[in-house]
Every structure is written in structure tokens, then in C-alpha cells.
Amino acid sequence: MSLLHRATFYQSASKVSQLPAPRGPEVCFVGRSNAGKSSAINVLTNQKRLAYSSKTPGRTRLINMFGIPDPLDPEHPLGYLVDLPGYGYASVALAAQQEWGRELGNYLVQRPSLAGVVLLIDIRRGITKQDYGLVEWIAQAKRPVLILLTKADKLPYGQRQKAIATIRKEVATQLGDVETIAFSATNRIGLEEATEKILNWISPQVVP
């Protein structure tokens, strides 16, 4: 069983300043509202409702942390998965979008325990203006990045590969040659590759 399957809810916060003091390595999940963050976290942890999204996209404003128990010390997390609020939903007031953007940026740049960033992008939409803004924050933070192109089951294999190449090229100036994976929570496409990458960020010694 993957260590990610043992993830449990740890803590929520509305602002970065309310998060607990940095301890183990953290892997955060970021993406546009409706990009499939909750579905990705749930399938990676093999749980149905560990992460959940609001019925109204763009309304979830909490930073949610999930702990990965240490096999040698189950009462203390080995590391954390961090679900950051979605961004870019059109019906949310611009001021609120900007506030969330600042919180996302503060977390990415200032959080010393951040070990890696999982950026989720709907494979059918490609990179949006809001995604580019986030890419700039990630570049400034100089954190390792994995891009998951979600809902990959909606496209045939050839179009998936084309989308991967396009996204890599579009972010290369800011992020370099970032690992980009076609991913589907529904059909479990890219699940093994994403799991291995995330586990390596949290605890390299546990990855075979």
C-alpha cells in the first residue's frame, strides 16, 4: 500500500499565517477552480472524500492539510499534502480573487517546508491567464514542479501527447523542462507516475 493511502485530515486555515509551524516536507496542489484538484488528491490517496470541493466552484477558501503518517512513528506525520484554494472562477469578485492570489503566492514563496508543487491544468483548456500568474509565483519560489494535465480521459492518446508537449514549451521560459503528465482520476491515467514523484518529495528513502 502506498504511504499516500494513509493520509488523514490534519488542519485547515484561511490564511498562510494560520498554518502550523513548518515540520515535515509539504507537497501542495494548486490549480484553477474545477481543474480537478480534489479528485486528484482523492485518487492519489485512494480515498473517496479526503478532499472535497464546494458545489459552487471558487467558494472553497481554506488551505487544507493532510498528514502522511510515519510508518515508524504513526502518531507524527512524515509529511503533508496541502490543498490550496482554487483560483480564477469568473463569478468570484475580482478583489477576492486577488486576495487568494496573494495567499497562494505567500505560501509558495515563504513556506520553508514546501518540497514540491503539483500544478493541475485541465488538459482541454490548456494554460489560462490565471495559470500564467501562478507559474510566475512558482518560478519566483524556485520549487520543484509537477504538472498534471487533468481529465486526460476526455482526449485520445495522440492529443494528450500533443498537449504535454505544448504545455512544457509554454512554461519552459519560467520553469525549465518541467515533468508534465497526462492524468485522469476517473481512469487512473498517470497515477503511478504522479504517486512516485510525490512520495520522492516527501520521503525519498521510501520510494523503491
Side-chain angles (χ1 to χ4, degrees), residues 85-148:
Y87 56 87
Y89 196 65
S91 69
V92 177
L94 179 60
Q97 292 187 39
Q98 292 173 338
E99 179 186 348
W100 296 352
R102 285 192 293 272
E103 286 298 315
L104 291 174
N106 287 339
Y107 177 83
L108 292 171
V109 174
Q110 299 177 9
R111 190 72 173 170
S113 49
L114 181 57
V117 179
V118 181
L119 172 58
L120 296 98
I121 296 172
D122 187 328
I123 196 168
R124 301 165 300 176
R125 293 177 176 267
I127 293 187
T128 66
K129 180 180 179 180
Q130 289 84 4
D131 293 322
Y132 275 120
L134 182 60
V135 166
E136 290 177 1
W137 278 112
I138 296 172
Q140 182 180 341
K142 298 181 180 179
R143 313 287 185 171
V145 185
L146 169 66
I147 296 178
L148 296 185

Side-chain angles (χ1 to χ4, degrees), residues 3-208:
L3 276 179
L4 297 184
H5 294 180
R6 300 176 181 174
T8 58
F9 175 77
Y10 185 76
Q11 184 170 328
S12 290
S14 59
K15 293 182 178 296
V16 173
S17 59
Q18 297 172 351
L19 291 174
R23 294 176 184 171
E26 299 171 11
V27 174
C28 74
F29 291 73
V30 292
R32 183 179 172 85
S33 297
N34 262 358
K37 279 194 299 95
S38 298
S39 297
I41 292 172
N42 288 335
V43 74
L44 285 163
T45 59
N46 197 34
Q47 301 182 49
K48 291 184 177 180
R49 288 187 60 80
L50 179 65
Y52 59 92
S53 57
S54 169
K55 292 181 180 179
T56 304
R59 291 292 178 84
T60 303
R61 300 184 60 175
L62 293 177
I63 301 169
N64 292 307
M65 299 183 70
F66 309 103
I68 309 296
D70 187 333
L72 301 179
D73 187 7
E75 293 185 4
H76 297 89
L78 180 70
Y80 305 86
L81 305 180
V82 182
D83 184 10
L84 295 173
Y87 56 87
Y89 196 65
S91 69
V92 177
L94 179 60
Q97 292 187 39
Q98 292 173 338
E99 179 186 348
W100 296 352
R102 285 192 293 272
E103 286 298 315
L104 291 174
N106 287 339
Y107 177 83
L108 292 171
V109 174
Q110 299 177 9
R111 190 72 173 170
S113 49
L114 181 57
V117 179
V118 181
L119 172 58
L120 296 98
I121 296 172
D122 187 328
I123 196 168
R124 301 165 300 176
R125 293 177 176 267
I127 293 187
T128 66
K129 180 180 179 180
Q130 289 84 4
D131 293 322
Y132 275 120
L134 182 60
V135 166
E136 290 177 1
W137 278 112
I138 296 172
Q140 182 180 341
K142 298 181 180 179
R143 313 287 185 171
V145 185
L146 169 66
I147 296 178
L148 296 185
L149 299 183
T150 60
K151 307 181 184 182
D153 56 296
K154 305 296 183 182
L155 296 181
Y157 179 80
Q159 290 187 36
R160 293 179 209 158
Q161 296 307 110
K162 183 177 180 181
I164 288 173
T166 298
I167 297 295
R168 277 180 172 162
K169 183 177 180 180
E170 289 176 340
V171 302
T173 301
Q174 294 110 315
L175 302 178
D177 187 16
V178 175
E179 185 168 0
T180 306
I181 299 173
F183 188 87
S184 168
T186 303
N187 291 9
R188 304 174 76 85
I189 297 169
L191 181 59
E192 290 185 9
E193 298 96 319
T195 297
E196 182 174 350
K197 185 77 172 182
I198 293 166
L199 280 175
N200 190 58
W201 282 338
I202 292 175
S203 185
Q205 68 269 22
V206 304
V207 178

